[in-house]
Amino acid sequence: MQVDGAQPWVSGEALRRLMSQLEAAQGRLWDPKEDEGKKGWLTWPEEDHGGLWQEVEATATEIRSRADVAVVVGIGGSYLGARAVTAMLRPGSEISGSRGFPVVFAGYQLSEGELLRLMDDLDDREPALVVVSKSGSTLEPGAAFHLLRTNLERRYGHQARERIYVVTDPERGALREYAVEKGYRRLPIPPDIGGRYSVLTPVGMLPAAVAGIDIRRVLTGARRGWEDCRRLDLWGNPAILYAAARHLLYLQGWMVEALVTYEPRMADFSRWWQQLFGESQGKDGRGLFPAFLHYTTDLHSMGQFVQQGRRLLFETVLDVDGASAPQPAAGEPPDPRVVIPDDVDAASAYLAGKRLDDLQEAAMAAVMEAHREGGVPQLWIEAKGPGEELVGELVFFFEAACALGGYLLGVDPYDQPGVEAYKRKLKARLLSGPVAGV
């Protein structure tokens, strides 16, 4: 975690002046009595959940033996984390052409066309449903679940229940009651962990295990992140430094944080990050607007605005180690398919002999330099290490930094009253009779 690119807004002196507030926020975060019942995620990586992980892995094995595609039904924190992990570690996980067991997602929108296309694709497959919802009362996944369930029951009759798996509250809720009534296999969402902080529970780990990801290594990385984020050390705790730098920029009038990634497989991780920070900190008229940009693609649409537009955003560059293509062993040449040939046109002569990774590395350095010169503050997060462990470490790092930032802002990082407001109005409208327009 580096903040040099955010000078002069994030100076050593400014960080030191913020230290007392950072100490107070860190104290609140790690105080077991503060926000009791909401912070189960904080100690989750260091607790022994061996029996639960055996059950998750056994369930994933069962799904893979009975089906040839898994459809994960959820919205918000009930699907974004799982989608982030599977997309980052198993890029290209679609119904066809997947590197691992195919995992697809539904229930996060209300488009009839999209659901019908999914059902058409599933007609030639042997699907299983994984329904993720703490309460079971959220409209979008509820509608998709019952439509997909009915479709399975038409095909398989009473045996359809053997293809439906539910991840929900272990003690209460409409979905739990329905799953018990129908005899569906169930896995728990810990009651003291909210949706957007639940990636490292069965919410994210069951879909990951189904996709063929080694979830034990993901959890090992999360434990490493937990150890790093416990320190009360500005320069040795990356979560404190990130939360502090974001807060200083916010206090000086910057309104938007753009998470910048250079790998397409990080797109869904960016969406999870956006929900985590937007839903945790965007309340009471406060908070940075979390956006994301995928370079180099977005340089040809948004790069002009970033370079010379209104000064309202700063960039957090998430530099993920390793390309999405397999890396050659030490001493081995790269795959020739990603090396530009020598016989190119005159205008492309400067590319000859270079591999795509070389071009991407040069692009990152050039863009960062140009944007700094254009007056765009930059934070830089260098993420290195084996893929599964790296995902776990990144998830915990961002969760800890987000909660710390909430305390610095003076907001509750665990509630979402704005979301609940729209849900109440939507349910009231649907209960009042025929659906009306705006």
Side-chain angles (χ1 to χ4, degrees), residues 114-280:
E114 286 299 307
L115 190 66
L116 287 170
R117 280 187 282 274
L118 174 61
M119 287 181 174
D120 288 342
D121 288 339
L122 295 175
D123 282 345
D124 298 325
R125 307 301 294 258
E126 296 292 332
L129 294 186
V130 178
V131 188
V132 185
S133 176
K134 200 160 197 176
S135 66
S137 61
T138 304
L139 182 145
E140 296 92 339
F145 163 51
H146 287 297
L147 289 169
L148 290 166
R149 170 189 63 80
T150 302
N151 200 43
L152 280 186
E153 289 172 349
R154 290 193 190 106
R155 288 180 62 181
Y156 300 105
H158 186 66
Q159 292 182 332
R161 70 177 185 176
E162 297 175 358
R163 294 177 172 272
I164 299 175
Y165 301 80
V166 170
V167 184
T168 190
D169 191 292
E171 299 172 357
R172 69 187 80 182
L175 181 58
R176 177 191 176 278
E177 293 176 8
Y178 190 79
V180 170
E181 176 188 334
K182 291 286 190 176
Y184 300 149
R185 179 79 171 268
R186 305 188 312 278
L187 284 168
I189 300 177
D192 59 352
I193 300 180
R196 57 189 180 271
Y197 291 89
S198 66
V199 186
L200 300 171
T201 75
V203 170
M205 293 300 97
L206 177 60
V210 172
I213 293 166
D214 186 344
I215 63 171
R216 304 288 181 136
R217 291 183 63 190
V218 174
L219 296 163
T220 295
R223 171 62 187 255
R224 190 167 63 217
W226 176 84
E227 291 171 348
D228 288 343
C229 293
R230 279 182 59 83
R231 303 188 186 109
L232 184 55
D233 176 358
L234 177 60
W235 301 105
N237 183 329
I240 291 180
L241 185 56
Y242 178 47
R246 294 177 80 253
H247 191 63
L248 283 173
L249 289 163
Y250 169 77
L251 292 176
Q252 294 171 82
W254 299 94
M255 295 180 283
V256 178
E257 176 182 18
L259 185 71
V260 171
T261 60
Y262 281 77
E263 278 290 341
R265 64 195 169 109
M266 297 302 295
D268 286 306
F269 191 92
S270 301
R271 292 184 179 94
W272 169 77
W273 168 90
Q274 184 179 52
Q275 187 223 4
L276 176 68
F277 281 87
E279 205 165 78
S280 298

Side-chain angles (χ1 to χ4, degrees), residues 16-181:
R16 282 188 288 274
R17 287 198 301 269
L18 194 64
M19 199 61 204
S20 62
Q21 295 179 54
L22 293 171
E23 290 175 352
Q26 179 78 338
R28 292 182 66 187
L29 178 62
W30 291 95
D31 181 351
K33 294 182 180 179
E34 181 84 21
D35 289 319
E36 191 173 3
K38 300 179 182 179
K39 293 195 302 192
W41 64 272
L42 188 64
T43 54
W44 184 262
E46 60 95 20
E47 295 169 351
D48 181 6
H49 303 287
L52 176 60
W53 300 133
Q54 289 175 9
E55 186 179 3
V56 167
E57 289 164 338
T59 303
T61 299
E62 183 178 298
I63 291 172
R64 292 163 67 99
S65 69
R66 288 180 175 169
D68 60 10
V69 59
V71 182
V72 178
V73 178
I75 197 169
S78 294
Y79 99 102
L80 281 168
R83 191 164 190 164
V85 172
T86 56
M88 184 173 172
L89 297 176
R90 291 289 183 272
S93 282
E94 301 293 342
I95 281 189
S96 59
S98 169
R99 280 181 54 192
F101 187 91
V103 175
V104 297
F105 295 86
Y108 55 90
Q109 38 77 12
L110 295 171
S111 167
E112 287 187 6
E114 286 299 307
L115 190 66
L116 287 170
R117 280 187 282 274
L118 174 61
M119 287 181 174
D120 288 342
D121 288 339
L122 295 175
D123 282 345
D124 298 325
R125 307 301 294 258
E126 296 292 332
L129 294 186
V130 178
V131 188
V132 185
S133 176
K134 200 160 197 176
S135 66
S137 61
T138 304
L139 182 145
E140 296 92 339
F145 163 51
H146 287 297
L147 289 169
L148 290 166
R149 170 189 63 80
T150 302
N151 200 43
L152 280 186
E153 289 172 349
R154 290 193 190 106
R155 288 180 62 181
Y156 300 105
H158 186 66
Q159 292 182 332
R161 70 177 185 176
E162 297 175 358
R163 294 177 172 272
I164 299 175
Y165 301 80
V166 170
V167 184
T168 190
D169 191 292
E171 299 172 357
R172 69 187 80 182
L175 181 58
R176 177 191 176 278
E177 293 176 8
Y178 190 79
V180 170
E181 176 188 334

Side-chain angles (χ1 to χ4, degrees), residues 378-398:
Q378 290 175 338
L379 309 177
W380 185 47
I381 300 170
E382 185 180 34
K384 304 290 185 182
E388 289 89 348
E389 294 179 21
L390 184 60
V391 169
E393 189 173 7
L394 277 174
V395 164
F396 192 86
F397 157 72
F398 279 121

